[in-house]
Amino acid sequence: MTPMASLQSIAVVNGRPTIWGDGAIGLVRGSGKLEWIKEKLTGDGENMAASCEVKRKGEADPTKATFSVADAKKANLWGKQGPWQQYPKRMLAMRARAFALRDAFADVLRGLGIAEEVQDTPQERPQAPKPPAPPAPPTQKIENQETIDAGTGEVIDDSQIVRETGEDIGAVMADGEFDAAAFFEEMETSFAAENSVEGVEERWTEFDPMAQFEGDESNQGIALAIKKRRLREIERASNEQE
């Protein structure tokens, strides 16, 4: 086909390149392999049927295909909204034509579907597999401490701190490299020995939890809460003395 003829006759339907029924006949005639084609519609109402008979040069027998109202009903096409309601005879004829041309001239059509047929085929959309749900991590708890916002370190209430990290509190991290619970316990003990803001800040610099838990907002938040709690205790003690 020439580029202009392709633009006029080829359409992408349901993601598949197709050719309109009239274009299919033109393509087959242009191949020089078609000897003759006969199409007719017989019967009325529920008994109506379309037929298409084509004769290929060099072959003794013609190829014939039919498509009836009964066939359309089986395919859930009869009465379907759109062309099947507006031009039922035309749609029956296009189905018969599509079957006959594909059977006799597969080498000419080269896999091109007939648009009037393909547009009635439901498009199958592949569904991406659902990823498995991740296992719920165990929770870590430090009892008798204040609940904090892990991102800001702000205290939420006076119940407890809960961290979701995948290991129980007190457990050593992978390959025994680091014990977070022991780190926080040591930091709290060190803070408790200080009675001034300056002293707490010095201990904070020594422990450097922001670097120790770099990228771990949950543990950084816990460290901030421990520090802020001790600073509040010092402030309260100072106010009581005054």
Side-chain angles (χ1 to χ4, degrees), residues 54 81 114 126 139 145 165 189 198 226:
V54 293
Q81 186 175 5
I114 307 301
T139 59
Q145 292 187 358
T165 63
T189 301
E198 292 77 10
I226 293 174

Side-chain angles (χ1 to χ4, degrees), residues 11 15 39 57 63:
E39 295 180 288
K57 292 180 179 180
T63 300

Side-chain angles (χ1 to χ4, degrees):
M1 297 179 69
T2 64
M4 185 57 66
S6 298
L7 288 174
Q8 293 174 342
S9 301
I10 295 177
V12 176
V13 179
N14 288 342
R16 177 183 174 187
T18 64
I19 189 168
W20 297 107
D22 294 339
I25 288 183
L27 192 61
V28 170
R29 288 186 186 278
S31 70
K33 298 180 180 181
L34 176 67
E35 188 170 330
W36 50 259
I37 178 171
K38 298 177 182 179
E39 295 180 288
K40 63 180 179 178
L41 194 67
T42 59
D44 294 312
E46 300 292 314
N47 296 319
M48 188 163 45
S51 65
C52 179
E53 190 173 8
V54 293
K55 175 69 168 62
R56 181 173 176 136
K57 292 180 179 180
E59 293 189 357
D61 300 319
T63 300
K64 183 177 181 178
T66 61
F67 199 79
S68 65
V69 172
D71 294 327
K73 287 183 176 181
K74 288 180 181 179
N76 295 321
L77 298 174
W78 194 246
K80 181 180 177 181
Q81 186 175 5
W84 278 99
Q85 286 185 350
Q86 298 167 340
Y87 317 106
K89 294 181 180 180
R90 172 74 173 173
M91 297 306 290
L92 289 174
M94 289 299 101
R95 279 303 179 98
R97 179 185 295 178
F99 290 150
L101 293 182
R102 283 209 315 271
D103 289 345
F105 300 98
D107 57 330
V108 176
L109 296 177
R110 296 182 180 275
L112 280 174
I114 307 301
E116 290 86 352
E117 178 184 17
V118 176
Q119 66 187 3
D120 289 324
T121 304
Q123 184 178 9
E124 296 183 0
R125 298 180 180 274
Q127 297 183 353
K130 295 182 179 180
T139 59
Q140 290 187 346
K141 297 181 180 180
I142 302 179
E143 302 295 342
N144 301 321
Q145 292 187 358
E146 298 162 314
T147 303
I148 63 165
D149 185 313
T152 65
E154 295 296 328
V155 175
I156 299 175
D157 57 41
D158 292 327
S159 57
Q160 62 184 12
I161 296 174
V162 179
R163 298 190 281 127
E164 294 184 355
T165 63
E167 294 184 356
D168 292 335
I169 194 68
V172 177
M173 294 175 64
D175 301 325
E177 293 179 357
F178 185 75
D179 188 336
F183 178 89
F184 290 131
E185 184 178 352
E186 184 179 352
M187 190 170 69
E188 265 195 300
T189 301
S190 179
F191 284 176
E194 299 295 337
N195 296 314
S196 67
V197 174
E198 292 77 10
V200 171
E201 292 293 348
E202 288 180 6
R203 299 289 82 75
W204 175 264
T205 302
E206 291 176 1
F207 281 95
D208 197 9
M210 295 297 103
Q212 181 67 54
F213 297 108
E214 184 177 1
D216 186 346
E217 293 184 358
S218 178
N219 278 331
Q220 286 180 345
I222 291 174
L224 283 170
I226 293 174
K227 174 186 177 182
K228 290 183 178 182
R229 183 174 59 254
R230 182 52 186 157
L231 291 176
R232 286 198 307 274
E233 291 173 352
I234 293 174
E235 183 180 0
R236 282 197 297 265
S238 178
N239 292 337
E240 289 174 358
Q241 290 177 358
E242 294 177 357

